[in-house]
Structures are given as C-alpha cells and as structure tokens.
Amino acid sequence: MELFEYILLMLAALAVSNLVNRFIPSVSVPIIQIALGVAITLLPVHFELTLNPELFLLLFIAPLLFNDGRHADKEALWSLRKPILLLALGLVFVTVGIVGYFVNWLLPVIPLAASFALAAALAPTDAVAVGALEQKVKIPHRTMQLLEGESLINDASGLVSFQFAAAAMATGMFSFRSAGLSFLAISLGGVVLGLLLTLMKYGVVKWLRRLGMENVTLHMLIELLTPFLIFLAAEELGVNGILAVVAAGIAHSFNYKKMNPEVAKLRVVSKSTWSVIIFVLNGLVFLLLGTQLPDIIQTIWNSPEIGNVRVILYTLLLTLAVLGLRLIWVLLMKVPGEGGADHSPRKSRFRTALIITLSGVRGTITLASTLSLPFFLDDGTAFPSRDLIIFLASGVILWTLLASNYLLPLLLGAETETAQEEEETQAKIEILQGVITGLNELSTEQNRLASVQIISAYTSRIRMLRKDDRKDEVQRTLGLSVMKWERENTLLALEHKEVDPYTGHRYLNRMNRLLFMHTRDVRYKRELFPVKHWDEMVGLLQQARLSRRQRRAELTRLRIRNVTYVLGQLNALLAEGGPDIEAVSTFKLQYERMLLRLTRGEAYTGSREEYGESMQELARIGIQLERDGLQAMFESGRISRQGMKEMKRDILFMEHDLREETV
C-alpha cells in the first residue's frame, strides 16, 4: 500500500511540474521536477524507494531509446552522418578518455576505472532536453537536426562505454585490446539482434492479422512490450541491449510508412500512448534525482575527505571541462554556421559552435547511468565513491540545464524568440480562420446547423490560441453591434407596419434598456418610451387586448425577423474577412441556434441522418482545408517544423475520431 501511495505521489508531482512551468516558463521542467523530488523527501511518507541498478536500466533506458529510434529523422541522419558520427562517437570516446583522467587527477579518491565510468555517463546529451530547447528558443533548423541525431546515437555509445568502465571497476580487470574487440562484437551483435527480433515481431503481427485479430489494444500492447523483451534477450545473449533497442526503434519507424486503415489507427493510438509513457519516464528520472539528492548531499557533506564548498566547485569545474571540450571539438569539426548575413563566416561558425555546446544538456541518460552503478564490487566491497559520483553527475546535469535555460536565450535572442512564437501563433490562427471562411462559403439551408457546429469547434481552438485580453473587447463591441442591428430592424418593422405596435414597442423598449445599460448613451434613455403620437398609443392599447398565444406568436415572428437580419449582417462581416472572424462566427453560431429554436419543425432542419451526414462531410472538408493551409504556412516559413508536427498530430486525432464515428 505504501508503494502504491508513493507512486501516486510521484505521478501527482509530474502533473504539478507542468502546472508550475505554465506559471514560471523561464524555469525548465526538469529543474522543477528535481525541486519537487527534494520536496517529496520532506513529506511524512514512510517509504524509501530503492531500485535495483539493472532494473533501473531496463525500466528507463530501454523504452526511452526505443522511442528515440522510432522518431529519428532518417534523412537528416544520413545527410549529416559525418558531423553526427564525429559528435556521437568521436566526442564521446574523447570525453571518456580526457575527462576520465581529469576526474581522477582532480579527485584521486575516485579510482581511474570509476572516473572513466563517470566520464562515460557525462558524455551523452539528453534527447528530451534537446527537444525541449526548441520550444524555448529558436535553434537553427540544421543545427537542431544535428543535435537530435547526436543525442540518439551518443546515448548508445556513451552507455556502452559506461558499461565497460563500470564492469572494469567491478571486476578489477581491463584491457584496451580486449575491450575494443568486445565493444565491436557486442555492438554489432546488438544491432543485428535488434533487427532480427524486429523482423520476428513483424512476422507475429502479420500472422495475427491473417487470423483476423485487428484489435488495436492487442497490437499496442505488443509494441509496448517490444523494447523490454529485446533488451532482456540481448542481455541474456551477451550482446548490447542498448544498441539492440535503438536498432529496433529505427526499424519500427519504417513500418509506419505503410498506409492501411489498421496501421493508421495504430499510429494514432501509438503516438498518444508513447507521449504519456515517455513524459512519465523522463519526469520520474528527475523526480528520483530529487529524492536521492538530500541523502547524497548529506553523505558528501559529512564526508571528511572533501569540503562542502570544494565539491560544489568540482561540479562546476567538471561542467566547464565537459562543455569546453565540446566547444573545442565542434570548432575543430568546422561545422558551417547559420548566422545569416549579419555574421561573418568565422563569427557565424563560432556562434554555431556555442549553440551546439550550450545545447549539450546532460539529463536522463547521465542520471540513469550513475544510478545504475552497482552498490558492491565482485569481491563484496562497497563500490568506491558511488555517492560522490552520483553527486558530481547531478551537479553537471544542473549546471548544463541552467546554462541552456538562461545562456542560450541570451545567445539566440529571447525577444526575437517571443516575436517568432507570436508570429507562429498568428499563422495558426490564420489557418483556422481560413477554414472558417471556407466552411461559411459552403453553408446552405440544408447543412446550416451542421456547419455552425463545426465552425464552433474551430472558433474554440482560435480562442485557446489567443491568450490576450483583446478578445473580450472584440466580443463586447460586436455584442453592442448585434443589439443595435436588432433595434434598427425593429424600427424598420414598426415604420413599415410589419409588426403590431404593442409587440414592436415592447421589444424596442427592451433593446433601448440593454443599450443604455452597456453604453450609458442618453439617446437610448430618452427612447425608453418610444411612442410619440396619439394614434400609436391607440394602436398600442388595441393590440394589448391580444391573447397570450397571439402575443407570443407576434413576438416569435418579430424575433425571427430580427435574427434573420442579424445573420445577414454577420454573413456580410464574414465575407469581408478580418482578424475578428472567430468572434463573428461565435455570434453567428448563437443566432443560428436561436433561429432553429424559433423555427423548429421547418423543412430545412432536415432529419437526424441528414444532419449526421452533413457533419461528417463538413468535418472532412474542414480537415482538408486545415491541412492545405498548414502546408502553405510551412512552405512560406511562417510555421516551424515543430509547429507543423503539432498541428498534423491534431489533424490525425480529428481524422481518427471521424473514422470512429463513421464505423
């Protein structure tokens, strides 16, 4: 029961971290999660979670790397293969060698093999943290592709190096020659095994489909179990499980290129399921870091071997060493800059090198590696300086997170990024406004109710995108215009004697009261008793003798006339376009519904089946219009690749719901 309560507490902390980030966007989510993890240790929770290191590696690393492989941009990996391999392999091995000796020289209390293990844990960058950077700052597209490719491959190379170093520390035996041959053997073996098991999995899936088992839940369960089974099989066979799951993930990405209804449905479910799983796993790693920090800090603080201030200084020196080595390596690679016309080639290359350096955030892989260190060596003695190694790794994670969180915006320009975000949001709004315009043009008497329902969904999405106070003023101004139109049409009806005086003057009096209340215009106050002549008074008194049913019928007739007139005015505004199209569409929806209530039973409302068919047809048209607008905005450069992916994901979800409704 205590374990269950602890898990619920951790999941609640994950939700709170996103909520806190909503109000404090300047602080990245991992930093918030680490702080919440520390806060959890202060609560009166009588449970201490102790994970087996091997279980930790299986539970967190296998699904994370499998998912990274599934989403790898294969074209970018191939086109940038040389710089990616130089960063993901060359820089990792150089970091392990140089930083390993540096750690042993800086802290002789850490044995050389353990120093190499720490350096190997610090070598890989964090793929999720790199992806989160693009949401905070506008990293040049080619540079972002390079960082994503590096973070995918260096996870495997860094973890393999870490496992060799940790094994050397645990067994006390190490040989560069044998280690190199073993590295090649188990690495190639892991890749081959991952591909073979993926092919076997495809064979099982095809066999199940031939049996008619198209249950999405079953196929999704098989997909979720895949990385764990492949990792366990690789470890049992003595090859590298990390490279096996990465290879399997990349192989799985090819399967989703096939287009058929079953794969399309599984693709939608898979995206939503994996997004939740990856968010939870990444968040749990940082929360666990927060829960481990107080005990680790206390152990380090109480250690007589090293001073408190010195150990913090060591984390900073280690961070500078890792980032400095990365900067030098990138400069030696001569990665072409993307600084534009305002930068000279040399300055542009240095700026790009700085961006790549500061984007080298350490995170999940670094932490998972150090937490997976064994507690005891093979001879039964405690692993030397385990808490110190975890503390140093945690310090480097925090320093790199802070550097990317605060220095990258300064380098790339935070104000420019804010303007770019606003421009992209405006582009998304214009796409949805274009859909609304297109749907309004297709609105007929037969599909009127269906069209306003679909338009209402798009106006709601626009309101969510717009987070300023201007929309309230627009709604108020348009509301006043609508009341004035109703007043204007009522006056015309009275003038042309198209409505009985009693009903017309009562309705006019109501409009004048509302307008005076909202505007305080004395003109409307003077017209609160609009009867000017004695003959109008006589007609008013005569009409007052009408029965209640007759009065209701007259009022309904006037309201239908006014609502129809307002709809005509709103349609004219929609035809003109403009920035307030969603507010106009909202009022149109309200008045369309009002007209349907007033005229219910008339022919144009149609049957329930016709209404459903109209909804389906207009929803498909709206989705296609949105897709066309999105492609145009992306090609014009007004929407980033990340923004396009988000909107395409929303379109896929809507298409999935549409297919489910038609089944």
Side-chain angles (χ1 to χ4, degrees), residues 164 175-188:
F164 271 104
S175 166
F176 276 107
R177 184 175 180 275
S178 61
L181 293 174
S182 298
F183 175 81
L184 290 175
I186 69 172
S187 298
L188 291 175

Side-chain angles (χ1 to χ4, degrees), residues 307-362:
N308 300 340
V309 177
R310 286 176 61 194
V311 74
I312 296 175
L313 180 62
Y314 288 152
T315 62
L316 181 58
L317 289 174
L318 195 53
T319 304
L320 292 174
V322 170
L323 294 182
L325 181 60
R326 182 176 176 84
L327 177 62
I328 294 171
W329 186 265
V330 175
L331 288 173
L332 291 175
M333 285 170 50
K334 297 182 179 179
V335 176
E338 299 185 57
D342 296 336
H343 299 275
S344 64
R346 180 177 296 180
K347 185 177 180 181
S348 176
R349 281 198 299 271
F350 185 74
R351 180 176 179 271
T352 301
L354 275 179
I355 293 172
I356 295 174
T357 300
L358 293 175
S359 301
V361 182
R362 271 58 182 178

